[in-house]
C-alpha cells in the first residue's frame, strides 16, 4: 500500500481481477502461438549462428522427410574398413557386449599392407558386427591398431528384421575362405613332408 | 420427416470439422504440427481413426452389468440427440417446433446423467464409478447457473419457443405470427426511442438488446463447458487420478459413440448459446442507410436464400464458439473438484441469480 508501484503491479493484485487477468494472459499466449504456427523452425545445424535465434514457430521435425544435420564427428554406426584390418581380434576382446565376431585364417604368405604400412598376414572369413547389440561405447575404435574400425555419422539404420542388424564386413566368399584354408593346410602339409624328408636324410647320413 | 437424418448429418459434419480443427489448433498452440500423414495436411486422420475404432474388439467386462453397460452409450447419445429436436436450423426448418422447446431441451439433455451413471455402475470398475459420480455431480451442479442464465433470456424474450426467440433477434421480427406490431428498440429500451427493428444485425442480438445478457452469455458458456465435460472442467477424465473417467472400460464402437456424444453435446450447447444470446440464425451485419447489409445477408423468408443464409450463420456462429471451447481447453489447466464446485456454487450461481433479478427489472423497462 505504501509503494504505489506495488499497487499497479499486476502480480501484487489479489483476488478476482487478478485471476481474470491471468486467465486472459493465458488465452493471449496460446492465441499468439496459434498464429506463430504459420512459421516453422528450419532444421539448422547447431553451429549455425541463427540456431538460437529461432524462438517462434512450429518446432516439429517431419522426420523421414527432413532431419537435423549431424556434426561431422558424430559417432553413431560402426564401420570396419576391411582392407585395413589385420584381424588382430583386439576389438572383439575388448567389446563389453560381445557384438563383434571374428574368425581368422592364416595366409600362406604376406597378403598386403594396410594404409599405415602394417603387414597383413591373416584372412578374415568372418567379421560380423551385431549393431543391435552394440552399445556405442567406442572402445573397439580406440584399441584398433590400424584405425580401420571407426564410428561414422550415420544414425538412421533401423531395420524391420533384426537379423539385418548384423553387418558382415568380410571380403571373402565362403568358397574363397575354404580355398585359403586349404592353401594353408596344404602349405603346412608340404612343410611337414619336407621336414620329415630332411630329417630322414640327416639320419641316413648319420647312419652311413 | 427428414429432420433426423439432416440433424445427424449436421452433427457428423460438424464433429468431423471440429475433430480435425481441435487436433490442428491444439498442435499449433503448442508449436507442433498435428496430424500430417493421412491425406493432405492430415485431413483424413478422422477417417483413419474411425476405421481403427470400428475394427477394435468390442469388449464387455465379464463381471459387468451387461445390460447397463451395453445400453449406456445409447442412452447418452440418444439424450443428446433428442436435444437437437427443438433446435431451429433455419426460419422454416425446425425438427420439432414446440412452444416449450427450451424446457424440453433442458429436461431431455439432463437424461445424459442417467446414461453416465449406467456406464459407471455397469462397468463394475471403481474408477469408472468414481468418474461417473464426479461427472454426474458436475453436470447436475452446473445445470443451475446454466438454467438461471437461460431463465434470464426467457424473461427478456417471454418465450420458451426457440424459434420465437430466434425471430426476436433479427430483421424478420414482424414476420413471426402475432408479432406484426412488435418493435425492437436499441438496448430494448423504449425510453431511448431508437427503433432498430429494420436495422437488425448485431444490434438486435440478445447480448446487445439487453447488454446485461452478455454477462449471462459468459455464465452460460462457462457452465456449458462443464455440462459437456470439456476442459477446464473435464475432471471426469482426470487421467492422473481416474484413468479415463466413466468410459474407461469401453472400447471400439461403444467408445466411439460416447466420443460422438461428447462432441454432439459441444455442438448442442454452442447452438443453444448462439440461439439464446448471439442472434440465432440472424446475420451480424446491420442495415446502414442504403447499405442493406442485413437484408443482403439474410435472404428472403421462406425462400431458399433465406434458409441457406440462416443455416450458414447458425452453423458458423456455433463453430466459432466451438473453436473458443478448443482454445480454452488447450490454454487452461484442469480444475480441482473443490475449485469446480466453488466456482459453480459461490460465483456462478449467485451471479446468475442477480442476473435473473436484473433481467426481470429490465423487462419492465422494455414495455
Amino acid at each position: 500500500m505504501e509503494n504505489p508501484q506495488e499497487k499497479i503491479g499486476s502480480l501484487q493484485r489479489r483476488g478476482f481481477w487478478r485471476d481474470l487477468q491471468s486467465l486472459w494472459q493465458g488465452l493471449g499466449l496460446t492465441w499468439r502461438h496459434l498464429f506463430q504456427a504459420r512459421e516453422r523452425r528450419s532444421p539448422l545445424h547447431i553451429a549455425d549462428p541463427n540456431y538460437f535465434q529461432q524462438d517462434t514457430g512450429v518446432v516439429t521435425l517431419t522426420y523421414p522427410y527432413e532431419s537435423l544435420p549431424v556434426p561431422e564427428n558424430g559417432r553413431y554406426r560402426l564401420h570396419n574398413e576391411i582392407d585395413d584390418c589385420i584381424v588382430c581380434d583386439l576389438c572383439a576382446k575388448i567389446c563389453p557386449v560381445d557384438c563383434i565376431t571374428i574368425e581368422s585364417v592364416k595366409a600362406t604368405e604376406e597378403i598386403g599392407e594396410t594404409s599405415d604400412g602394417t603387414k597383413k598376414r591373416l584372412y578374415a572369413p568372418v567379421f560380423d558386427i551385431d549393431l543391435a547389440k552394440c552399445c556405442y561405447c567406442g572402445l573397439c575404435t580406440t584399441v584398433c591398431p590400424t584405425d580401420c574400425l571407426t564410428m561414422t555419422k550415420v544414425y538412421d539404420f533401423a531395420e524391420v528384421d533384426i537379423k539385418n542388424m548384423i553387418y558382415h564386413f568380410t571380403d571373402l566368399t565362403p568358397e574363397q575362405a575354404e580355398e585359403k584354408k586349404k592353401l594353408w593346410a596344404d602349405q603346412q602339409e608340404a612343410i611337414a613332408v619336407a621336414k620329415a624328408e630332411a630329417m630322414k636324410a640327416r639320419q641316413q647320413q648319420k647312419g652311413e | 420427416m427428414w429432420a433426423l437424418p439432416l440433424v445427424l448429418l449436421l452433427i457428423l459434419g460438424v464433429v468431423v470439422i471440429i475433430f480435425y480443427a481441435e487436433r490442428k489448433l491444439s498442435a499449433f498452440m503448442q508449436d507442433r504440427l498435428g496430424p500430417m500423414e493421412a491425406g493432405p495436411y492430415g485431413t483424413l486422420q478422422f477417417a483413419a481413426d474411425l476405421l481403427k475404432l470400428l475394427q477394435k474388439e468390442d469388449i464387455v467386462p465379464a463381471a459387468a452389468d451387461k445390460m447397463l453397460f451395453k445400453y449406456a452409450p445409447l442412452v447418452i447419445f440418444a439424450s443428446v440427440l433428442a436435444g437437437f429436436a427443438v433446435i431451429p436450423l433455419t426460419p422454416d426448418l425446425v425438427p420439432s417446433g414446440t412452444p416449450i422447446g427450451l424446457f424440453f431441451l433442458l429436461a431431455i439433455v439432463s437424461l445424459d446423467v442417467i446414461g453416465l451413471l449406467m456406464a459407471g455402475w455397469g462397468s463394475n470398475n471403481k474408477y469408472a464409478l468414481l468418474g461417473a459420480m464426479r461427472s454426474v455431480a458436475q453436470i447436475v451442479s452446473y445445470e443451475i447457473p446454466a438454467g438461471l442464465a437461460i431463465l434470464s433470456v426467457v424473461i427478456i424474450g417471454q418465450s420458451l419457443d426457440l424459434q420465437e426467440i430466434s425471430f426476436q433477434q433479427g430483421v424478420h421480427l414482424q414476420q413471426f405470427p402475432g408479432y406484426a406490431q412488435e418493435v425492437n428498440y436499441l438496448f430494448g429500451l423504449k425510453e431511448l426511442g431508437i427503433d432498430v427493428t429494420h436495422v437488425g444485425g448485431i444490434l438486435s442480438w440478445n447480448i446487445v438488446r439487453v447488454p446485461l445478457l452478455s454477462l449471462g452469455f459468459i455464465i452460460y458458456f462457462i457452465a456449458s463447458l462443464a455440462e459437456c465435460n470439456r476442459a477446464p472442467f473435464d475432471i471426469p477424465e482426470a487421467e492422473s487420478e481416474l484413468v479415463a473417467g466413466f468410459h474407461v472400460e469401453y472400447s471400439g464402437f461403444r467408445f466411439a459413440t460416447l466420443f460422438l456424444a461428447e462432441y454432439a453435446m459441444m455442438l448442442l450447447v454452442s447452438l443453444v448459446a448462439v440461439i439464446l444470446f448471439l442472434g440465432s440464425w440472424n446475420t451480424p451485419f446491420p442495415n446502414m442507410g442504403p447499405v442493406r447489409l442485413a437484408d443482403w445477408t439474410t435472404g428472403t423468408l421462406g425462400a431458399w436464400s433465406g434458409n441457406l443464409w440462416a443455416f450458414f450463420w447458425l452453423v458458423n456462429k456455433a463453430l466459432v464458439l466451438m473453436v473458443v471451447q478448443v482454445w480454452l481447453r488447450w490454454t487452461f489447466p484442469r480444475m480441482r473438484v473443490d475449485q469446480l464446485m466453488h466456482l459453480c456454487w459461490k460465483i456462478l450461481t449467485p451471479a446468475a441469480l442477480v442476473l435473473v433479478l436484473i433481467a426481470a427489472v429490465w423487462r419492465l423497462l422494455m414495455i
Side-chain angles (χ1 to χ4, degrees):
Chain A
M1 274 300 138
E2 298 94 321
N3 190 351
Q5 283 291 313
E6 251 177 56
K7 234 161 70 179
I8 300 162
S10 63
L11 283 173
Q12 270 70 35
R13 247 183 273 166
R14 289 274 175 277
F16 184 72
W17 294 109
R18 195 195 63 153
D19 295 348
L20 214 60
Q21 193 186 19
S22 91
L23 288 175
W24 183 248
Q25 277 173 353
L27 285 174
L29 186 75
T30 44
W31 192 250
R32 223 164 33 243
H33 278 265
L34 178 65
F35 280 93
Q36 282 164 358
R38 284 176 298 187
E39 309 154 25
R40 291 202 49 203
R41 275 171 241 207
S42 50
L44 283 184
H45 194 276
I46 180 90
D48 196 291
N50 290 325
Y51 185 80
F52 291 105
Q53 309 303 314
Q54 306 188 78
D55 46 9
T56 56
V58 172
V59 291
T60 313
L61 203 65
T62 50
Y63 171 62
Y65 313 116
E66 54 184 27
S67 53
L68 282 178
V70 170
E72 283 306 312
N73 54 355
R75 305 190 306 151
Y76 303 107
R77 184 168 74 171
L78 272 180
H79 173 73
N80 183 31
E81 197 57 49
I82 197 73
D83 286 343
D84 281 354
C85 180
I86 55 168
V87 202
C88 64
D89 210 25
L90 281 175
C91 49
K93 286 202 177 72
I94 203 163
C95 180
V97 291
D98 289 340
C99 70
I100 306 178
T101 315
I102 303 176
E103 279 174 23
S104 58
V105 171
K106 286 180 180 160
T108 50
E109 61 205 322
E110 211 170 86
I111 52 169
E113 217 173 58
T114 66
S115 49
D116 66 350
T118 317
K119 303 276 184 284
K120 287 173 70 175
R121 294 171 194 282
L122 294 166
Y123 291 109
V126 175
F127 194 113
D128 289 354
I129 300 180
D130 189 346
L131 279 161
K133 287 187 196 160
C134 177
C135 66
Y136 308 97
C137 63
L139 284 174
C140 50
T141 61
T142 48
V143 296
C144 183
T146 57
D147 285 339
C148 70
L149 203 54
T150 49
M151 296 190 105
T152 58
K153 62 173 196 164
V154 181
Y155 61 92
D156 180 16
F157 49 95
E159 295 281 354
V160 176
D161 187 350
I162 199 163
K163 284 182 190 134
N164 295 337
M165 289 297 277
I166 302 175
Y167 284 55
H168 308 287
F169 289 102
T170 178
D171 53 357
L172 296 179
T173 59
E175 295 79 38
Q176 282 176 316
E178 277 309 308
E179 189 195 323
K180 302 294 178 200
K181 263 185 214 168
K182 196 162 173 295
L183 276 178
W184 168 251
D186 288 352
Q187 193 199 31
Q188 290 306 93
E189 208 177 322
I191 291 171
V193 168
K195 253 186 189 169
E197 273 173 6
M199 196 77 92
K200 223 185 210 173
R202 211 174 295 158
Q203 277 173 351
Q204 270 178 355
Q205 266 183 357
K206 273 186 187 167
E208 283 167 8
Chain B
M1 194 180 79
W2 38 279
L4 177 68
L6 195 77
V7 164
L8 273 176
L9 213 65
L10 171 75
I11 294 176
L12 291 176
V14 171
V15 165
V16 164
I17 292 171
I18 207 68
F19 193 45
Y20 175 70
E22 169 144 41
R23 288 169 161 213
K24 277 298 189 189
L25 290 177
S26 68
F28 292 154
M29 283 173 186
Q30 298 174 342
D31 293 343
R32 296 184 285 113
L33 275 172
M36 288 292 281
E37 284 298 307
Y41 295 98
T43 40
L44 295 178
Q45 187 64 41
F46 78 93
D49 282 323
L50 194 68
L51 279 176
K52 188 197 80 176
L53 275 174
L54 285 180
Q55 55 176 319
K56 274 191 166 186
E57 188 189 351
D58 179 28
I59 299 168
V60 180
D65 190 329
K66 303 240 170 14
M67 204 65 163
L68 293 186
F69 185 85
K70 282 182 177 168
Y71 285 104
L74 199 67
V75 171
I76 292 172
F77 186 70
S79 62
V80 175
L81 185 62
F84 281 91
V86 291
I87 296 290
L89 298 175
T90 73
D92 297 323
L93 184 69
V94 42
S96 167
T98 158
I100 53 154
L102 197 49
F103 192 57
F104 167 81
L105 186 113
L106 288 177
I108 198 84
V109 168
S110 302
L111 281 181
D112 192 20
V113 301
I114 296 185
L116 296 184
L117 269 181
M118 278 166 70
W121 182 262
S123 297
N124 193 18
N125 173 331
K126 56 175 84 87
Y127 296 109
L129 184 59
L130 276 171
M133 301 287 263
R134 288 162 68 129
S135 220
V136 168
Q138 171 183 330
I139 292 176
V140 169
S141 300
Y142 273 87
E143 254 163 30
I144 291 165
L148 288 172
I150 290 172
L151 184 62
S152 54
V153 177
V154 174
I155 290 171
I156 298 293
Q158 295 285 295
S159 171
L160 283 166
D161 186 347
L162 287 165
Q163 191 67 289
E164 192 175 336
I165 293 173
S166 303
F167 269 93
Q168 286 170 357
Q169 300 178 63
V171 283
H172 286 327
L173 174 74
Q174 290 173 340
Q175 266 103 318
F176 192 77
Y179 269 51
Q181 303 306 317
E182 285 287 317
V183 175
N184 259 341
Y185 291 104
L186 187 64
F187 300 136
L189 297 176
K190 203 174 180 181
E191 302 296 310
L192 293 177
I194 306 170
D195 183 352
V196 293
T197 316
H198 299 287
V199 177
I202 195 168
L203 291 180
S204 51
W205 289 12
N206 264 341
I207 53 165
V208 177
R209 211 154 71 102
V210 182
L212 264 164
L213 283 183
S214 46
L215 183 65
F217 170 65
I218 292 168
I219 293 173
Y220 172 80
F221 189 71
I222 295 173
S224 72
L225 285 178
E227 289 238 11
C228 48
N229 289 333
R230 280 293 288 189
F233 306 111
D234 56 344
I235 56 160
E237 277 205 46
E239 58 258 30
S240 54
E241 306 112 276
L242 284 178
V243 194
F246 62 88
H247 46 56
V248 62
E249 294 288 0
Y250 284 90
S251 69
F253 190 68
R254 289 180 211 282
F255 181 78
T257 311
L258 292 173
F259 203 74
L260 185 64
E262 185 187 322
Y263 275 82
M265 187 75 174
M266 273 173 74
L267 175 63
L268 182 65
V269 296
S270 300
L271 283 175
V272 171
V274 166
I275 290 167
L276 294 183
F277 298 99
L278 302 180
S280 192
W281 35 255
N282 290 297
T283 167
F285 303 117
N287 282 331
M288 289 178 294
V291 189
R292 315 293 293 173
L293 282 179
D295 293 342
W296 295 338
T297 56
T298 302
T300 323
L301 194 63
W304 271 104
S305 63
N307 284 324
L308 286 179
W309 273 116
F311 190 74
F312 172 81
W313 288 121
L314 187 76
V315 171
N316 276 294
K317 286 175 192 173
L319 279 176
V320 168
L321 280 189
M322 289 170 88
V323 166
V324 174
Q325 287 181 339
V326 170
W327 180 22
L328 290 172
R329 172 169 180 186
W330 295 98
T331 301
F332 295 142
R334 178 180 296 123
M335 290 178 96
R336 229 169 36 221
V337 67
D338 61 311
Q339 294 170 331
L340 191 89
M341 290 301 167
H342 178 272
L343 179 67
C344 175
W345 292 103
K346 290 191 177 169
I347 298 173
L348 292 185
T349 305
L353 278 169
V354 172
L355 187 75
V356 169
L357 187 71
I358 300 177
V361 175
W362 199 287
R363 177 66 207 176
L364 288 178
L365 299 175
M366 284 170 77
I367 304 168

